[in-house]
Amino acid sequence: ASLLTNHMRDIKDITYYMEECKRMGVSVLGPDVNESFYKFAVNNKGEIRFGLGAVKGIGEGAVETIVESRKEGGNYLGFDDFVKRVDSRSANKRTLESMVCAGGFDSFDLKRFQYFAKEESGQTYLEKMIKFGNKLKEIAKSPQVPMFDESAEAAIKAPLPTETPAWTTMELLSKEKDVVGIYISGHPLDDFKVEMQSFCNGDVSVFKSLSEFLKKEISIAGVVTEVEHKVSRQGKGWAFFTVEDYVDSYTFRIFGEEYLRFKHFLNLNNFLHIKTKIVEGWKNKETGINGEPRIQYLNFRLLQDVVN
């Protein structure tokens, strides 16, 4: 936990130590509003709990407010209890949105997508709950409250989220990665472990040392996390695209006939199986010497279709 805290601002180091924890059998759990502190910490079960300070959009002041309120009044019983007790000036809308996406409120009854459910007014459930919490705080400060006791608070009902489509696994994990920098609650490729074990003989890190695999066929699988289609000065299409697997990520470039054959596979969040061959680089006409080894694309398939 101390090591993770010391490297909290470097996502590559965090990823390395998270993998080391997995290898050692040490559980690292995502952030939780009822267990997390600013730094990485160890809970009563001996598990490491993700530090809220490692989540984008959550400042130290907000975490202090959340933790202090938890110490004073005990664990938060639900999101309505949270907005009632925590000052929205410290834990503002952006902070709470980051908390939701990181899984900080997963211990409550609501699913992450429900917090972003929009009303007809255009407001999200989260925004309405912030207003609800502020209203309850105003009532609590009012000199008339003793007359009504708790009946005034009881008369104001917490809003309910409207029905809205659930996020796909990819949407949930993408939003999680946006605010944490890594996948915590799962990995987009978890549904394709069998396909990857059966039809791949390498991972994307192979392409960072092409000369070691010269003249070899390499099959990898991963999820497209970035893609951009381009047009050259000669008017020919090409693209660069980033594929991520369990081990690493790599940005590929594809040109010419290969681009025309396979460009329809290059869409954000597509799960791809890519068969390649590492071949000698293009020969320099003047020197007759081959350049750096290059990637020849033999075939692209959607990972979900590989078995068929």
Side-chain angles (χ1 to χ4, degrees):
S2 178
L3 274 169
L4 287 163
T5 296
N6 287 338
H7 295 272
M8 202 155 61
R9 296 295 167 215
D10 191 326
I11 200 60
K12 285 188 178 178
D13 286 348
I14 286 278
T15 304
Y16 170 79
Y17 287 115
M18 292 273 282
E19 285 299 318
E20 187 65 6
C21 287
K22 190 186 293 183
R23 186 189 67 78
M24 295 169 66
V26 177
S27 295
V28 181
L29 306 177
D32 182 84
V33 70
N34 281 326
E35 271 197 359
S36 290
F37 295 88
Y38 184 76
K39 298 178 179 180
F40 286 79
V42 182
N43 66 14
N44 294 332
K45 297 177 183 177
E47 301 160 320
I48 296 174
R49 180 62 78 172
F50 218 84
L52 291 174
V55 181
K56 291 176 191 172
I58 303 181
E60 194 165 357
V63 180
E64 284 177 9
T65 302
I66 290 167
V67 173
E68 282 303 311
S69 180
R70 190 173 75 206
K71 285 179 179 176
E72 290 173 12
N75 280 358
Y76 300 104
L77 304 178
F79 193 59
D80 55 343
D81 186 40
F82 178 87
V83 295
K84 176 182 172 183
R85 291 163 55 185
V86 175
D87 192 335
S88 61
R89 289 171 297 181
S90 299
N92 58 25
K93 176 189 163 188
R94 183 177 176 230
T95 296
L96 299 191
E97 285 178 342
S98 292
M99 284 273 286
V100 170
C101 292
F105 298 123
D106 282 3
S107 57
F108 301 156
D109 291 336
L110 294 170
K111 302 293 183 185
R112 297 183 201 180
F113 69 90
Q114 291 180 288
Y115 292 89
F116 295 92
K118 281 198 174 181
E119 309 285 327
E120 288 183 8
S121 62
Q123 284 187 320
T124 63
Y125 170 72
L126 186 143
E127 289 169 333
K128 292 194 79 172
M129 284 299 287
I130 292 172
K131 285 187 176 181
F132 167 74
N134 290 338
K135 187 71 175 175
L136 291 183
K137 292 184 191 81
E138 286 175 19
I139 291 172
K141 289 177 184 176
S142 171
Q144 294 178 317
V145 168
M147 290 173 55
F148 298 104
D149 202 19
E150 293 182 357
S151 59
E153 278 193 24
I156 301 175
K157 292 185 178 180
L160 295 172
T162 56
E163 285 191 20
T164 190
W167 289 346
T168 63
T169 302
M170 192 66 214
E171 282 179 303
L172 184 144
L173 292 173
S174 293
K175 291 178 190 296
E176 183 175 280
K177 191 178 181 184
D178 284 343
V179 295
V180 183
I182 54 175
Y183 303 115
I184 305 174
S185 56
H187 193 282
L189 294 169
D190 285 346
D191 292 336
F192 301 103
K193 283 184 177 179
V194 173
E195 288 87 342
M196 293 180 73
Q197 289 167 359
S198 304
F199 297 97
C200 298
N201 64 350
D203 56 67
V204 297
S205 65
V206 164
F207 300 101
K208 294 184 175 180
S209 50
L210 293 180
S211 56
E212 294 179 25
F213 300 93
L214 192 61
K215 297 182 181 178
K216 291 185 179 179
E217 289 190 2
I218 305 292
S219 293
I220 59 107
V223 57
V224 179
T225 57
E226 187 180 3
V227 62
E228 192 164 338
H229 295 267
K230 302 267 194 179
V231 177
S232 70
R233 289 178 182 175
Q234 292 77 31
K236 294 182 178 180
W238 67 280
F240 70 79
F241 60 102
T242 303
V243 174
E244 180 176 321
D245 62 13
Y246 285 107
V247 177
D248 209 338
S249 66
Y250 185 80
T251 300
F252 297 87
R253 282 167 173 75
I254 184 168
F255 306 88
E257 289 296 323
E258 291 176 344
Y259 173 74
L260 294 175
R261 281 177 64 199
F262 302 123
K263 66 179 181 179
H264 59 285
F265 288 100
L266 305 180
N267 296 309
L268 197 62
N269 296 333
N270 264 7
F271 297 96
L272 298 181
H273 178 269
I274 306 172
K275 188 176 181 181
T276 70
K277 186 175 182 179
I278 311 305
V279 297
E280 290 184 344
W282 303 110
K283 188 172 286 187
N284 187 305
K285 290 180 181 179
E286 294 179 6
T287 63
I289 299 172
N290 291 97
E292 291 292 314
R294 61 187 177 86
I295 301 166
Q296 186 177 57
Y297 298 95
L298 303 179
N299 197 25
F300 279 62
R301 295 183 75 182
L302 293 176
L303 196 47
Q304 51 266 42
D305 295 336
V306 169
V307 177
N308 299 328

